[in-house]
Amino acid sequence: VDPSVPIEEVAGTIQDLIKEGKVRYWGLSEAGTDTIRRAHAVTPVSAVQSEYSLWYRKPEEAVLPLLEELHIGFVPFSPLGKGFLTGTINHNASFGENDIRHYLPRFTSDAIDQNQQIVTLIQAVAESKKASPAQIALSWILAQKDWIVPIPGTRKLNRLQENLGAANLTLSAEEVQQLNEASHHIEIVGEEL
């Protein structure tokens, strides 16, 4: 969202493009509730994209309830916590200067060590389901609401295939509740930028 352009103006332009047949659906990325509500009042918003995962649950506070109220889809990015929730990152990890994780406080050596609790939780469920931690993290998101569709980034075909396996994995209500409750008691270290 560009704060220098009123969202109503953007939504009005999109509305014109929809009338011209040039656009079918539109969405917002990283928008707050006020912006979403104002845009939706002009031209119905189809989807909102923001970060969401077991270790970044801020959208649950206000954004997800609003999206449910307005019947807007949600497209979470970084559903695997920028790779952290896969269980493949430890305190010895190093990230190049072109990797955003190089600059994120959650990916310092100390933060990685302290945040392993969330990975341990996910790994325990993964073992019981004979699945990978990535599949559990994605399956958890898919279990939240049927209008939430995560978009995990991947650069490797085998990771894409692994991620797709989450769609065939069903977590029981008890497993979802276990993950929800346990993750709420885990303090995540390091600010997310």
PDB file of all heavy atoms in Angstrom, residues 167-188:
ATOM      1  N   ALA A 167      -1.257 -30.629   1.158  1.00  0.00           N
ATOM      2  CA  ALA A 167      -2.667 -30.583   0.768  1.00  0.00           C
ATOM      3  C   ALA A 167      -3.358 -31.923   0.995  1.00  0.00           C
ATOM      4  O   ALA A 167      -4.578 -31.980   1.162  1.00  0.00           O
ATOM      5  CB  ALA A 167      -2.794 -30.158  -0.690  1.00  0.00           C
ATOM      6  N   ASN A 168      -2.580 -33.003   1.014  1.00  0.00           N
ATOM      7  CA  ASN A 168      -3.137 -34.338   1.227  1.00  0.00           C
ATOM      8  C   ASN A 168      -3.033 -34.790   2.682  1.00  0.00           C
ATOM      9  O   ASN A 168      -3.415 -35.911   3.008  1.00  0.00           O
ATOM     10  CB  ASN A 168      -2.423 -35.352   0.334  1.00  0.00           C
ATOM     11  CG  ASN A 168      -2.618 -35.040  -1.131  1.00  0.00           C
ATOM     12  OD1 ASN A 168      -3.700 -34.637  -1.535  1.00  0.00           O
ATOM     13  ND2 ASN A 168      -1.574 -35.197  -1.914  1.00  0.00           N
ATOM     14  N   LEU A 169      -2.520 -33.927   3.514  1.00  0.00           N
ATOM     15  CA  LEU A 169      -2.326 -34.246   4.926  1.00  0.00           C
ATOM     16  C   LEU A 169      -3.419 -33.556   5.736  1.00  0.00           C
ATOM     17  O   LEU A 169      -3.644 -32.352   5.591  1.00  0.00           O
ATOM     18  CB  LEU A 169      -0.952 -33.735   5.381  1.00  0.00           C
ATOM     19  CG  LEU A 169      -0.564 -33.941   6.824  1.00  0.00           C
ATOM     20  CD1 LEU A 169      -0.372 -35.429   7.113  1.00  0.00           C
ATOM     21  CD2 LEU A 169       0.723 -33.188   7.116  1.00  0.00           C
ATOM     22  N   THR A 170      -4.098 -34.305   6.548  1.00  0.00           N
ATOM     23  CA  THR A 170      -5.154 -33.717   7.370  1.00  0.00           C
ATOM     24  C   THR A 170      -4.762 -33.798   8.836  1.00  0.00           C
ATOM     25  O   THR A 170      -4.482 -34.884   9.347  1.00  0.00           O
ATOM     26  CB  THR A 170      -6.487 -34.461   7.158  1.00  0.00           C
ATOM     27  OG1 THR A 170      -6.827 -34.407   5.768  1.00  0.00           O
ATOM     28  CG2 THR A 170      -7.594 -33.830   7.979  1.00  0.00           C
ATOM     29  N   LEU A 171      -4.724 -32.655   9.460  1.00  0.00           N
ATOM     30  CA  LEU A 171      -4.502 -32.613  10.902  1.00  0.00           C
ATOM     31  C   LEU A 171      -5.862 -32.737  11.590  1.00  0.00           C
ATOM     32  O   LEU A 171      -6.831 -32.102  11.170  1.00  0.00           O
ATOM     33  CB  LEU A 171      -3.845 -31.296  11.312  1.00  0.00           C
ATOM     34  CG  LEU A 171      -2.434 -31.045  10.791  1.00  0.00           C
ATOM     35  CD1 LEU A 171      -1.959 -29.652  11.207  1.00  0.00           C
ATOM     36  CD2 LEU A 171      -1.463 -32.092  11.304  1.00  0.00           C
ATOM     37  N   SER A 172      -5.916 -33.520  12.639  1.00  0.00           N
ATOM     38  CA  SER A 172      -7.163 -33.635  13.397  1.00  0.00           C
ATOM     39  C   SER A 172      -7.405 -32.336  14.161  1.00  0.00           C
ATOM     40  O   SER A 172      -6.489 -31.527  14.353  1.00  0.00           O
ATOM     41  CB  SER A 172      -7.068 -34.804  14.383  1.00  0.00           C
ATOM     42  OG  SER A 172      -6.138 -34.486  15.416  1.00  0.00           O
ATOM     43  N   ALA A 173      -8.613 -32.149  14.597  1.00  0.00           N
ATOM     44  CA  ALA A 173      -8.941 -30.960  15.401  1.00  0.00           C
ATOM     45  C   ALA A 173      -8.073 -30.924  16.650  1.00  0.00           C
ATOM     46  O   ALA A 173      -7.627 -29.850  17.078  1.00  0.00           O
ATOM     47  CB  ALA A 173     -10.423 -30.956  15.770  1.00  0.00           C
ATOM     48  N   GLU A 174      -7.786 -32.083  17.218  1.00  0.00           N
ATOM     49  CA  GLU A 174      -6.944 -32.147  18.408  1.00  0.00           C
ATOM     50  C   GLU A 174      -5.507 -31.737  18.090  1.00  0.00           C
ATOM     51  O   GLU A 174      -4.869 -31.033  18.884  1.00  0.00           O
ATOM     52  CB  GLU A 174      -6.959 -33.561  19.012  1.00  0.00           C
ATOM     53  CG  GLU A 174      -8.297 -33.996  19.561  1.00  0.00           C
ATOM     54  CD  GLU A 174      -9.276 -34.472  18.482  1.00  0.00           C
ATOM     55  OE1 GLU A 174      -8.834 -34.909  17.392  1.00  0.00           O
ATOM     56  OE2 GLU A 174     -10.493 -34.385  18.722  1.00  0.00           O
ATOM     57  N   GLU A 175      -4.995 -32.165  16.949  1.00  0.00           N
ATOM     58  CA  GLU A 175      -3.627 -31.795  16.558  1.00  0.00           C
ATOM     59  C   GLU A 175      -3.524 -30.292  16.284  1.00  0.00           C
ATOM     60  O   GLU A 175      -2.552 -29.652  16.691  1.00  0.00           O
ATOM     61  CB  GLU A 175      -3.197 -32.591  15.329  1.00  0.00           C
ATOM     62  CG  GLU A 175      -2.955 -34.063  15.633  1.00  0.00           C
ATOM     63  CD  GLU A 175      -2.889 -34.937  14.396  1.00  0.00           C
ATOM     64  OE1 GLU A 175      -3.545 -34.626  13.384  1.00  0.00           O
ATOM     65  OE2 GLU A 175      -2.172 -35.963  14.457  1.00  0.00           O
ATOM     66  N   VAL A 176      -4.530 -29.748  15.627  1.00  0.00           N
ATOM     67  CA  VAL A 176      -4.543 -28.298  15.382  1.00  0.00           C
ATOM     68  C   VAL A 176      -4.592 -27.556  16.708  1.00  0.00           C
ATOM     69  O   VAL A 176      -3.846 -26.597  16.928  1.00  0.00           O
ATOM     70  CB  VAL A 176      -5.730 -27.889  14.472  1.00  0.00           C
ATOM     71  CG1 VAL A 176      -5.859 -26.374  14.394  1.00  0.00           C
ATOM     72  CG2 VAL A 176      -5.560 -28.481  13.090  1.00  0.00           C
ATOM     73  N   GLN A 177      -5.447 -28.014  17.602  1.00  0.00           N
ATOM     74  CA  GLN A 177      -5.559 -27.381  18.923  1.00  0.00           C
ATOM     75  C   GLN A 177      -4.251 -27.499  19.698  1.00  0.00           C
ATOM     76  O   GLN A 177      -3.818 -26.543  20.345  1.00  0.00           O
ATOM     77  CB  GLN A 177      -6.713 -28.009  19.716  1.00  0.00           C
ATOM     78  CG  GLN A 177      -6.991 -27.332  21.032  1.00  0.00           C
ATOM     79  CD  GLN A 177      -7.473 -25.904  20.865  1.00  0.00           C
ATOM     80  OE1 GLN A 177      -8.021 -25.529  19.832  1.00  0.00           O
ATOM     81  NE2 GLN A 177      -7.245 -25.084  21.866  1.00  0.00           N
ATOM     82  N   GLN A 178      -3.598 -28.651  19.621  1.00  0.00           N
ATOM     83  CA  GLN A 178      -2.305 -28.852  20.285  1.00  0.00           C
ATOM     84  C   GLN A 178      -1.280 -27.850  19.765  1.00  0.00           C
ATOM     85  O   GLN A 178      -0.570 -27.208  20.546  1.00  0.00           O
ATOM     86  CB  GLN A 178      -1.810 -30.278  20.053  1.00  0.00           C
ATOM     87  CG  GLN A 178      -0.407 -30.531  20.572  1.00  0.00           C
ATOM     88  CD  GLN A 178       0.195 -31.830  20.038  1.00  0.00           C
ATOM     89  OE1 GLN A 178      -0.427 -32.567  19.267  1.00  0.00           O
ATOM     90  NE2 GLN A 178       1.426 -32.104  20.441  1.00  0.00           N
ATOM     91  N   LEU A 179      -1.203 -27.711  18.451  1.00  0.00           N
ATOM     92  CA  LEU A 179      -0.267 -26.752  17.859  1.00  0.00           C
ATOM     93  C   LEU A 179      -0.620 -25.322  18.256  1.00  0.00           C
ATOM     94  O   LEU A 179       0.263 -24.525  18.568  1.00  0.00           O
ATOM     95  CB  LEU A 179      -0.243 -26.900  16.336  1.00  0.00           C
ATOM     96  CG  LEU A 179       0.469 -28.140  15.808  1.00  0.00           C
ATOM     97  CD1 LEU A 179       0.126 -28.377  14.348  1.00  0.00           C
ATOM     98  CD2 LEU A 179       1.974 -28.016  16.001  1.00  0.00           C
ATOM     99  N   ASN A 180      -1.897 -24.995  18.231  1.00  0.00           N
ATOM    100  CA  ASN A 180      -2.325 -23.642  18.610  1.00  0.00           C
ATOM    101  C   ASN A 180      -1.951 -23.324  20.049  1.00  0.00           C
ATOM    102  O   ASN A 180      -1.342 -22.301  20.336  1.00  0.00           O
ATOM    103  CB  ASN A 180      -3.833 -23.471  18.427  1.00  0.00           C
ATOM    104  CG  ASN A 180      -4.245 -23.289  16.997  1.00  0.00           C
ATOM    105  OD1 ASN A 180      -3.452 -22.859  16.164  1.00  0.00           O
ATOM    106  ND2 ASN A 180      -5.477 -23.625  16.691  1.00  0.00           N
ATOM    107  N   GLU A 181      -2.338 -24.196  20.950  1.00  0.00           N
ATOM    108  CA  GLU A 181      -2.088 -23.949  22.376  1.00  0.00           C
ATOM    109  C   GLU A 181      -0.601 -23.902  22.684  1.00  0.00           C
ATOM    110  O   GLU A 181      -0.125 -22.996  23.366  1.00  0.00           O
ATOM    111  CB  GLU A 181      -2.784 -25.011  23.223  1.00  0.00           C
ATOM    112  CG  GLU A 181      -4.284 -24.830  23.275  1.00  0.00           C
ATOM    113  CD  GLU A 181      -4.978 -25.883  24.117  1.00  0.00           C
ATOM    114  OE1 GLU A 181      -4.286 -26.633  24.859  1.00  0.00           O
ATOM    115  OE2 GLU A 181      -6.213 -25.958  24.045  1.00  0.00           O
ATOM    116  N   ALA A 182       0.125 -24.883  22.207  1.00  0.00           N
ATOM    117  CA  ALA A 182       1.554 -24.935  22.504  1.00  0.00           C
ATOM    118  C   ALA A 182       2.281 -23.740  21.899  1.00  0.00           C
ATOM    119  O   ALA A 182       3.145 -23.131  22.546  1.00  0.00           O
ATOM    120  CB  ALA A 182       2.153 -26.243  21.997  1.00  0.00           C
ATOM    121  N   SER A 183       1.938 -23.363  20.680  1.00  0.00           N
ATOM    122  CA  SER A 183       2.642 -22.247  20.041  1.00  0.00           C
ATOM    123  C   SER A 183       2.338 -20.921  20.725  1.00  0.00           C
ATOM    124  O   SER A 183       3.172 -20.024  20.727  1.00  0.00           O
ATOM    125  CB  SER A 183       2.328 -22.178  18.549  1.00  0.00           C
ATOM    126  OG  SER A 183       0.971 -21.856  18.331  1.00  0.00           O
ATOM    127  N   HIS A 184       1.167 -20.802  21.319  1.00  0.00           N
ATOM    128  CA  HIS A 184       0.843 -19.565  22.050  1.00  0.00           C
ATOM    129  C   HIS A 184       1.681 -19.408  23.319  1.00  0.00           C
ATOM    130  O   HIS A 184       1.828 -18.307  23.830  1.00  0.00           O
ATOM    131  CB  HIS A 184      -0.644 -19.503  22.391  1.00  0.00           C
ATOM    132  CG  HIS A 184      -1.490 -19.013  21.262  1.00  0.00           C
ATOM    133  ND1 HIS A 184      -1.338 -17.779  20.679  1.00  0.00           N
ATOM    134  CD2 HIS A 184      -2.501 -19.614  20.595  1.00  0.00           C
ATOM    135  CE1 HIS A 184      -2.212 -17.629  19.714  1.00  0.00           C
ATOM    136  NE2 HIS A 184      -2.928 -18.733  19.630  1.00  0.00           N
ATOM    137  N   HIS A 185       2.221 -20.513  23.816  1.00  0.00           N
ATOM    138  CA  HIS A 185       3.043 -20.467  25.030  1.00  0.00           C
ATOM    139  C   HIS A 185       4.536 -20.361  24.735  1.00  0.00           C
ATOM    140  O   HIS A 185       5.345 -20.312  25.648  1.00  0.00           O
ATOM    141  CB  HIS A 185       2.767 -21.696  25.907  1.00  0.00           C
ATOM    142  CG  HIS A 185       1.367 -21.738  26.423  1.00  0.00           C
ATOM    143  ND1 HIS A 185       0.853 -20.826  27.300  1.00  0.00           N
ATOM    144  CD2 HIS A 185       0.350 -22.586  26.122  1.00  0.00           C
ATOM    145  CE1 HIS A 185      -0.403 -21.099  27.550  1.00  0.00           C
ATOM    146  NE2 HIS A 185      -0.737 -22.172  26.856  1.00  0.00           N
ATOM    147  N   ILE A 186       4.878 -20.334  23.471  1.00  0.00           N
ATOM    148  CA  ILE A 186       6.286 -20.221  23.082  1.00  0.00           C
ATOM    149  C   ILE A 186       6.574 -18.764  22.739  1.00  0.00           C
ATOM    150  O   ILE A 186       5.920 -18.197  21.853  1.00  0.00           O
ATOM    151  CB  ILE A 186       6.613 -21.132  21.879  1.00  0.00           C
ATOM    152  CG1 ILE A 186       6.424 -22.604  22.281  1.00  0.00           C
ATOM    153  CG2 ILE A 186       8.027 -20.872  21.372  1.00  0.00           C
ATOM    154  CD1 ILE A 186       6.524 -23.580  21.121  1.00  0.00           C
ATOM    155  N   GLU A 187       7.521 -18.193  23.430  1.00  0.00           N
ATOM    156  CA  GLU A 187       7.906 -16.812  23.141  1.00  0.00           C
ATOM    157  C   GLU A 187       8.921 -16.819  22.004  1.00  0.00           C
ATOM    158  O   GLU A 187      10.001 -17.381  22.124  1.00  0.00           O
ATOM    159  CB  GLU A 187       8.510 -16.136  24.370  1.00  0.00           C
ATOM    160  CG  GLU A 187       8.864 -14.690  24.110  1.00  0.00           C
ATOM    161  CD  GLU A 187       9.494 -14.011  25.322  1.00  0.00           C
ATOM    162  OE1 GLU A 187       9.371 -14.545  26.432  1.00  0.00           O
ATOM    163  OE2 GLU A 187      10.114 -12.966  25.132  1.00  0.00           O
ATOM    164  N   ILE A 188       8.559 -16.188  20.905  1.00  0.00           N
ATOM    165  CA  ILE A 188       9.444 -16.104  19.747  1.00  0.00           C
ATOM    166  C   ILE A 188      10.412 -14.939  19.978  1.00  0.00           C
ATOM    167  O   ILE A 188       9.993 -13.832  20.297  1.00  0.00           O
ATOM    168  CB  ILE A 188       8.650 -15.905  18.445  1.00  0.00           C
ATOM    169  CG1 ILE A 188       7.652 -17.063  18.244  1.00  0.00           C
ATOM    170  CG2 ILE A 188       9.574 -15.765  17.262  1.00  0.00           C
ATOM    171  CD1 ILE A 188       8.268 -18.437  18.156  1.00  0.00           C
TER     172      ILE A 188
END
